[in-house]
Amino acid sequence: MTGVPASAAGGPAKAGAAQMGASGASGASGVDSSGKGARGGKIAAAAVDQASLWNIANILTMIRLLLVPGFVALMLADGGHDPAWRSFAWAAFSIAMITDLFDGHLARTYNLVTDFGKIADPIADKAIMGAALICLSALGDLPWWVTAVILGRELGITLLRFIVIRYGVIPASRGGKLKTLAQGIAVGMYILALTGWLATARFWVMAVAVVLTVATGLDYVRQAIVLRRQGIAEREAALEETEA
């Protein structure tokens, strides 16, 4: 029957079913006529984002930050040269360095990267290493120029990363990771009250750490210059294409 309208052919039942289907689709998408569903979805998403801050990677980073004042107190306890207190300080420093190895790996492996972690993780790294170096130099166990070279390099490269970030990210190199390992071992050996051949060995380990610190720092500067030039060249090429 070709002359019958669709509404008449379907009758009230089909019209009601169509209306219910539209209503159900609206409910499934989480949006109603007043927009309350959309607001509720945003609130729920915000709650999920806020909860994701408390993941294992960020907790390890916060533990490392909390260890810094405890480490300083242990290093300076009883004049700063008591072997027992220095052993406790070494334990705190070792825990901090171990958590540094795990938190970044966990964040990348299990997709736990957050804005807090991106900011807090490098701060925690610099804080524990800086505290150890400054305490050792203040106690006369490590020359101040060594502390100045290592901290100057770390802070300078961190600043350099922020300067060139609009052109791209400077990736961590194998040399940089080896530098971090050498620094951790060397500083850990200086924290302990070592004598004899171990005291001599730690001097050479620190020498290797300083050489790696300077060498990798210069390499990062080279990468930053290349990255900046490439970024400027790409922008100029894009402008020329736009004008053409």
Side-chain angles (χ1 to χ4, degrees):
M1 297 172 59
T2 58
V4 181
S7 59
K14 286 190 176 181
Q19 184 175 1
M20 290 177 63
S23 174
S26 175
S29 63
V31 181
D32 58 14
S33 58
S34 63
K36 292 181 179 178
R39 288 195 296 270
K42 291 180 180 179
I43 293 173
V48 170
D49 290 341
Q50 185 175 3
S52 66
L53 176 68
W54 296 97
N55 60 60
I56 183 63
N58 286 344
I59 289 174
L60 289 176
T61 299
M62 286 185 279
I63 290 174
R64 195 156 74 256
L65 284 169
L66 293 174
L67 280 172
V68 174
F71 165 79
V72 173
L74 292 170
M75 275 293 292
L76 302 179
D78 197 16
H81 295 286
D82 183 84
W85 287 114
R86 293 287 284 262
S87 297
F88 288 126
W90 176 85
F93 179 81
S94 299
I95 292 172
M97 297 304 293
I98 291 172
T99 59
D100 179 31
L101 295 176
F102 282 103
D103 59 358
H105 174 73
L106 290 171
R108 291 186 296 270
T109 303
Y110 297 102
N111 195 24
L112 302 176
V113 178
T114 62
D115 291 338
F116 171 81
K118 292 177 184 178
I119 297 172
D121 183 66
I123 292 176
D125 298 344
K126 305 299 183 292
I128 189 66
M129 183 60 69
L133 290 168
I134 291 172
C135 285
L136 288 171
S137 293
L139 293 171
D141 296 334
L142 188 68
W144 276 106
W145 71 264
V146 174
T147 296
V149 167
I150 295 177
L151 290 186
R153 184 269 189 199
E154 298 299 332
L155 296 176
I157 296 302
T158 299
L159 180 61
L160 186 63
R161 286 178 183 273
F162 281 111
I163 292 174
V164 301
I165 196 170
R166 57 181 173 175
Y167 304 110
V169 177
I170 303 176
S173 63
R174 290 184 179 180
K177 295 177 181 179
L178 185 61
K179 176 268 307 177
T180 301
L181 178 62
Q183 284 182 0
I185 294 174
V187 171
M189 293 179 73
Y190 269 87
I191 291 172
L192 289 171
L194 300 178
T195 58
W197 70 270
L198 286 174
T200 303
R202 70 184 181 184
F203 169 83
W204 292 107
V205 175
M206 180 60 76
V208 171
V210 171
V211 170
L212 288 173
T213 297
V214 175
T216 56
L218 293 175
D219 183 60
Y220 278 128
V221 171
R222 180 192 63 79
Q223 291 185 55
I225 294 173
V226 172
L227 190 63
R228 182 176 180 275
R229 287 177 178 174
Q230 290 177 348
I232 293 174
E234 290 174 359
R235 288 187 179 184
E236 290 178 350
L239 288 174
E240 289 178 358
E241 289 181 2
T242 303
E243 293 174 356

